[in-house]
Amino acid sequence: MDFSCATVNSFLIDFRASTNSFLSQYEPLVLLLFPLLTLLVARVLQSSLHVVQEKGLKQTLIGFFMSSIKLVPGVKSYIDAEKQKVVDQMQSGGKSKRESWRTELPRVGLGAEVIENMKEEKRKDALWQGKCSGTVYIGGSESEGHFALINEACSMFAHTNPLHLDVFQSVARFEAEVVAMTAALLGNKEKASGGQVCGNMTSGGTESILLAMKSSRDYMRYKKGITKPEMIIPESAHSAYDKASQYFNIKLWRVPVNKDYLADVKAIRRHINRNTILIVGSAPGFPHGIIDPIEELGELALSYGICLHVDLCLGGFVLPFARTLGYPIPPFDFCVPGVTSMSVDVHKYGLAPKGTSVVLYRNHDIRKHQFVAVTEWTGGLYVSPTIAGSRPGGLIAGAWAAMMSLGQEGYLEYTKAIMEVSKSLQKGIKEIPELFIIGRPNMTIVAFGSNVFDIFEVNDIMSSKGWHLNALQRPNSLHICVTLQHVPVVDDFLRDLKESVETVKENPGPIKGGLAPIYGAAGKMPDRGMVQELLVNYMDSTC
């Protein structure tokens, strides 16, 4: 033992002497700075690898090149000027209109005359009756029928605020019943769901998704101790998940869809790691109207012990009734094991006033993580269920009125009508040889593209005829979201679409004032950061 200790001591003494001898040839300052520089280089490499992992090598190199080239004198100012030209074209004259907008209160109030002013402004809006993709889901005229009913319900409760539960008990009841009725449509009455589905009303699909993401993040932190949360979504999932990623500091992985434009379950599985809190499926997805394989995603979520959110913002008030009508609708609701939350818009096919949606959870254990409770405020104890504190009780009352006035028979009737229109549209588009339908739409969204010409040029021609369609990318395409407004005009739409296709075939190339060049350039632009800057600049100059 003594011999071993002596050997070790001798080795350490020799090592110290040789090391000191080696280092003596360097300046003390160099020896001091070397480990600091090494640490700095390591941090830079770590950050670079993180960026490459998140954006991919190609986008990282393009971003680095663009950042470098902007350092050349005059280049940045030139690029900014060109971007501004694009922004101005996107605004299409809106900037000049804003110059006449009021910037301060009138000295003397207008009184009742303000209503006439508002009517005059409303007359300047675009003609939307039957001409818009989605946008307005209620059929008929604004001044009669279901429109008039919900308008009256909203005005009757316009002064109410469910924040004050003790005062506006009627609105509290309306909200609870809207949530319960929606949950019943989506499996809460079935044994497979557990019968504990709960939720709240929100201002729209985006808030419903945001709340579900926040709740899932906090639930998984409580359940599994995850402090660096990540979520995985198919690239067809709504952009609200990007908002949630930024707002709640959740790392977002967007995974390409498969050849049928469905969520790729195998690709999603490859991205799951110990920080994954949630995966997402849509029923249907906004771009192409296709229902993701919710059952397979549910099995995946269960096997990894993570959350699964199903986006039913579009499908929540169609799919249950379409299934009853005999349409082949794959499983999508809380009867699917593994589904932990859903977002359902009542202001779309629920035919409620704008600003009404529902977020649902499988049970109260998950929903509790949605709430914010404050105990140390001098204003008293405070607890809030949603992002907003005060909320418009009139909209809640309008949603309740819509659901109660229509009932199951009403929704079945309307679902039958819009599903038939959707099938007619698909048939008509298939008869135009230059167009193709993307995937196999399950519901009321029909997306179509072309391998013959620039589909965005067709969009510009359709816009000149008064139609407002949605422009998509990857692949470049358009879609129309069928509503009750389209039931009487489906033949008009197909006629105008055929004429627009013929016009583009005979005269290919962008029309003056059209946005096809911008859509096309944005899709081909390799630097996605520049596209993002364009969008931000456009929004900054618009609102």
Side-chain angles (χ1 to χ4, degrees):
M1 181 65 71
D2 291 340
F3 174 78
S4 298
C5 289
T7 302
V8 171
N9 287 336
S10 176
F11 171 78
L12 291 175
I13 291 169
D14 290 343
F15 177 76
R16 177 185 176 189
S18 61
T19 302
N20 286 335
S21 175
F22 174 76
L23 294 177
S24 64
Q25 60 186 309
Y26 297 100
E27 291 286 338
L29 183 60
V30 173
L31 296 176
L32 179 65
L33 291 178
F34 181 75
L36 296 176
L37 289 173
T38 303
L39 180 62
L40 178 62
V41 170
R43 291 298 299 271
V44 170
L45 286 174
Q46 183 185 35
S47 298
S48 300
L49 288 172
H50 178 75
V51 172
V52 171
Q53 184 185 31
E54 189 167 336
K55 295 185 176 181
L57 181 61
K58 180 180 177 182
Q59 282 300 316
T60 301
L61 292 175
I62 290 172
F64 177 77
F65 173 76
M66 292 303 299
S67 298
S68 300
I69 202 172
K70 287 178 183 179
L71 298 176
V72 178
V75 171
K76 186 178 185 301
S77 58
Y78 173 77
I79 292 175
D80 289 343
E82 291 300 308
K83 284 194 295 186
Q84 189 57 47
K85 290 179 183 177
V86 175
V87 171
D88 291 341
Q89 188 176 351
M90 290 172 71
Q91 288 181 319
S92 300
K95 191 173 183 179
S96 60
K97 294 177 184 176
R98 290 178 63 88
E99 292 174 358
S100 63
W101 290 5
R102 185 177 296 278
T103 59
E104 59 184 0
L105 282 169
R107 187 176 64 83
V108 179
L110 301 180
E113 184 185 340
V114 72
I115 299 298
E116 290 304 316
N117 284 24
M118 294 174 75
K119 289 179 179 178
E120 179 61 29
E121 289 299 320
K122 188 173 183 179
R123 281 191 281 269
K124 299 175 186 177
D125 288 346
L127 182 65
W128 53 262
Q129 287 83 353
K131 289 285 190 175
C132 294
S133 171
T135 311
V136 179
Y137 291 76
I138 302 170
S141 166
E142 287 182 276
S143 59
E144 57 189 21
H146 188 73
F147 261 122
L149 183 144
I150 64 171
N151 287 344
E152 184 176 353
C154 288
S155 63
M156 190 186 308
F157 290 86
H159 60 285
T160 64
N161 180 358
L163 182 67
H164 304 285
L165 294 174
D166 56 332
V167 179
F168 304 114
Q169 298 177 33
S170 55
V171 174
R173 174 183 174 176
F174 294 155
E175 176 173 13
E177 292 190 356
V178 166
V179 171
M181 289 188 288
T182 305
L185 285 176
L186 300 173
N188 190 41
K189 297 297 182 180
E190 304 298 325
K191 186 177 180 181
S193 73
Q196 296 296 316
V197 178
C198 54
N200 293 90
M201 288 191 68
T202 71
S203 62
T206 293
E207 186 185 356
S208 291
I209 289 172
L210 288 175
L211 286 171
M213 298 305 100
K214 187 266 183 192
S215 303
S216 300
R217 182 198 67 178
D218 293 355
Y219 175 65
M220 294 303 289
R221 182 170 56 200
Y222 166 78
K223 185 179 177 183
K224 299 179 72 172
I226 296 175
T227 57
K228 296 181 179 179
E230 300 181 11
M231 60 178 169
I232 308 166
I233 68 173
E235 63 182 5
S236 56
H238 198 274
S239 52
Y241 298 101
D242 293 83
K243 277 189 179 182
S245 172
Q246 294 181 34
Y247 288 179
F248 304 133
N249 197 27
I250 305 172
K251 187 173 183 178
L252 177 67
W253 295 101
R254 272 192 179 273
V255 177
V257 294
N258 64 22
K259 60 183 179 62
D260 297 316
Y261 299 94
L262 296 165
D264 190 330
V265 179
K266 291 182 179 178
I268 290 174
R269 179 186 285 109
R270 288 195 294 270
H271 280 77
I272 294 177
N273 59 46
R274 59 190 178 86
N275 289 320
T276 303
I277 61 166
L278 172 134
I279 58 178
V280 167
S282 303
F286 171 82
H288 312 123
I290 302 172
I291 299 175
D292 286 328
I294 304 302
E295 275 191 313
E296 294 179 49
L297 291 172
E299 292 173 5
L300 187 62
L302 278 177
S303 66
Y304 283 92
I306 58 179
C307 296
L308 167 60
H309 179 78
V310 179
D311 182 355
L312 274 160
C313 288
L314 275 163
F317 280 84
V318 174
L319 297 180
F321 302 107
R323 183 167 53 190
T324 300
L325 291 168
Y327 285 92
I329 304 298
F332 61 89
D333 59 17
F334 281 111
C335 291
V336 176
V339 174
T340 53
S341 60
M342 288 184 179
S343 47
V344 191
D345 282 1
V346 198
H347 65 204
K348 289 188 172 75
Y349 292 107
L351 308 183
K354 287 299 179 186
T356 52
S357 179
V358 172
V359 58
L360 295 172
Y361 300 95
R362 181 171 286 275
N363 54 52
H364 291 268
D365 287 341
I366 305 172
R367 186 178 69 149
K368 286 177 183 177
H369 295 275
Q370 174 182 293
F371 305 151
V372 172
V374 180
T375 61
E376 305 307 309
W377 180 36
T378 55
L381 299 178
Y382 176 88
V383 62
S384 177
T386 61
I387 291 176
S390 294
R391 292 183 292 150
L395 295 182
I396 294 172
W400 186 85
M403 295 175 70
M404 292 294 290
S405 66
L406 293 171
Q408 294 185 31
E409 290 185 1
Y411 284 118
L412 282 168
E413 176 188 342
Y414 290 147
T415 298
K416 185 174 186 291
I418 57 177
M419 290 294 283
E420 288 178 353
V421 168
S422 175
K423 298 304 177 186
S424 297
L425 275 176
Q426 292 179 52
K427 181 176 181 293
I429 292 170
K430 287 177 180 177
E431 292 173 354
I432 303 174
E434 295 82 7
L435 302 180
F436 64 88
I437 291 176
I438 295 178
R440 297 179 180 179
N442 293 106
M443 211 182 82
T444 52
I445 291 177
V446 184
F448 54 93
S450 175
N451 292 321
V452 180
F453 43 65
D454 185 350
I455 194 66
F456 296 138
E457 293 178 14
V458 172
N459 190 37
D460 283 343
I461 302 296
M462 290 292 282
S463 295
S464 70
K465 295 176 181 290
W467 297 96
H468 301 271
L469 307 180
N470 289 94
L472 314 174
Q473 59 180 350
R474 300 174 183 174
N476 288 351
S477 51
L478 308 175
H479 91 203
I480 179 168
C481 178
V482 176
T483 73
L484 290 171
Q485 289 284 330
H486 297 120
V487 173
V489 298
V490 60
D491 292 334
D492 297 339
F493 175 84
L494 289 171
R495 183 193 65 242
D496 286 349
L497 181 60
K498 290 176 183 176
E499 291 178 0
S500 299
V501 167
E502 289 301 318
T503 300
V504 173
K505 276 178 61 182
E506 295 171 5
N507 302 284
I511 66 173
K512 184 177 180 182
L515 294 177
I518 294 176
Y519 284 126
K524 297 174 183 176
M525 196 176 292
D527 183 11
R528 307 311 290 173
M530 185 172 291
V531 179
Q532 186 180 43
E533 289 174 11
L534 280 172
L535 293 175
V536 170
N537 289 348
Y538 168 72
M539 182 56 63
D540 186 51
S541 61
T542 304
C543 63

